[in-house]
């Protein structure tokens, strides 16, 4: 059975795509793992249609969850139009949604070929962007975006623009091989873009 949504620590996560334009060095995908630290098997046999995803979410009791999080095996913003449709459709049907969060690599505008940040307004309460480094060189080495160094610029621009439309913007780093000075540099960078920094614990394979 495909895992379209799954629970973790009181939140409901939505998994709509296997696609990702990055190859982060710490990603579990590298060792053939089909899931994440949240669920064992998130690999989708096919990308669910809007209706399949909607039916899956309507079967859930949203009042049980502290957040609705778009984050799965791939980069959720590959399906942004469908993410937005699902949020809108659930609201139209009278579903009282918990705060909506999207975990992203910040490449949505490049992926979709337009600035989508205004479309986040009124739909997304929290956006979490993977920073993973205080410099372009470090970011590129750790995240390995398909666009190379351009991925760094895209991510920074997306974060700054998103902060104009989303109440809470967070940037995250994994503390693997990070010094206190590295973390502080990341914190200052995040704050300069209108975001807060969150340091995630590295979890070995």
């Amino acid at each position: 059975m495909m895992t379209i949504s799954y629970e973790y620590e009181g939140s409901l996560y939505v998994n709509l795509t296997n696609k990702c334009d990055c190859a982060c060095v710490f990603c579990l995908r590298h060792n053939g793992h089909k899931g994440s630290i949240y669920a064992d098997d998130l690999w989708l046999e096919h990308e669910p249609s809007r209706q399949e995803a909607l039916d899956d979410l309507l079967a859930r009791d949203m009042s049980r969850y502290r957040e609705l999080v778009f984050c799965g095996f791939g980069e959720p913003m590959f399906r942004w139009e469908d993410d937005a449709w699902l949020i809108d459709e659930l609201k139209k049907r009278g579903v009282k949604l918990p705060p909506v969060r999207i975990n992203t690599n910040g490449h949505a505008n490049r992926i979709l070929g337009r600035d989508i940040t205004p479309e986040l307004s009124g739909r997304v309460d929290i956006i979490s962007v993977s920073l993973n480094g205080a410099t372009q060189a470090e970011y590129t080495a750790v995240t390995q975006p398909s666009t190379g160094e351009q991925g760094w610029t895209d991510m920074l621009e997306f974060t700054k623009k998103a902060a104009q439309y989303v109440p809470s913007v967070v940037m995250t780093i994994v503390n693997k091989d990070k010094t206190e000075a590295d973390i502080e540099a990341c914190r200052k960078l995040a704050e300069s873009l209108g975001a807060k920094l969150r340091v995630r614990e590295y979890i070995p394979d």
Side-chain angles (χ1 to χ4, degrees):
M1 183 176 176
M2 278 203 316
T3 303
I4 295 175
S5 65
Y6 58 100
E7 300 175 347
Y8 181 73
E9 292 189 341
S11 294
L12 183 66
Y13 286 70
V14 184
N15 176 45
L16 296 185
T17 185
N18 297 324
K19 296 176 185 174
C20 189
D21 63 320
C22 292
C24 298
V25 296
F26 50 78
C27 185
L28 293 175
R29 294 162 70 111
H30 293 317
N31 64 6
H33 201 292
K34 291 186 176 181
S36 71
I37 61 172
Y38 311 114
D40 289 333
D41 191 356
L42 296 180
W43 181 261
L44 296 164
E45 296 174 359
H46 70 272
E47 293 206 346
S49 67
R50 288 179 171 185
Q51 192 61 49
E52 285 178 296
L54 180 62
D55 290 345
D56 183 277
L57 295 178
L58 286 172
R60 299 281 192 171
D61 178 1
M62 289 293 170
S63 67
R64 295 178 50 212
Y65 305 112
R66 61 184 181 86
E67 286 183 320
L68 177 64
V69 187
F70 289 81
C71 171
F73 196 63
E75 165 54 46
M77 298 305 276
F78 272 98
R79 298 284 304 269
W80 166 244
E81 288 92 347
D82 298 320
D83 299 340
W85 181 86
L86 285 168
I87 294 165
D88 293 347
E89 194 64 25
L90 288 167
K91 289 180 177 178
K92 284 178 187 176
R93 291 171 181 249
V95 177
K96 183 172 175 53
L97 296 179
V100 175
R101 169 160 57 99
I102 293 182
N103 291 355
T104 178
N105 60 26
H107 297 163
N109 291 348
R110 176 72 57 180
I111 291 168
L112 299 172
R114 69 179 193 281
D115 179 12
I116 63 92
T117 55
E119 300 167 31
L120 301 170
S121 181
R123 291 186 173 111
V124 179
D125 302 290
I126 307 158
I127 196 149
S128 179
V129 181
S130 298
L131 174 57
N132 296 327
T135 66
Q136 184 182 63
E138 183 183 14
Y139 173 85
T140 304
V142 172
T143 306
Q144 302 186 85
S146 61
T147 55
E149 292 182 348
Q150 182 62 43
W152 165 260
T153 303
D154 291 341
M155 178 271 298
L156 296 181
E157 290 180 351
F158 175 85
T159 303
K160 187 173 183 177
K161 290 178 178 178
Q164 300 174 47
Y165 300 103
V166 178
S168 177
V169 178
V170 179
M171 302 189 88
T172 64
I173 59 171
V174 176
N175 65 358
K176 184 178 188 296
D177 301 324
K178 292 285 191 301
T179 66
E180 286 301 317
D182 293 335
I183 292 172
E184 186 57 28
C186 290
R187 191 180 313 282
K188 288 180 178 177
L189 176 59
E191 290 175 353
S192 75
L193 300 169
K196 294 181 179 180
L197 183 72
R198 175 173 170 255
V199 182
R200 296 169 53 204
E201 290 293 322
Y202 171 65
I203 300 176
D205 293 347

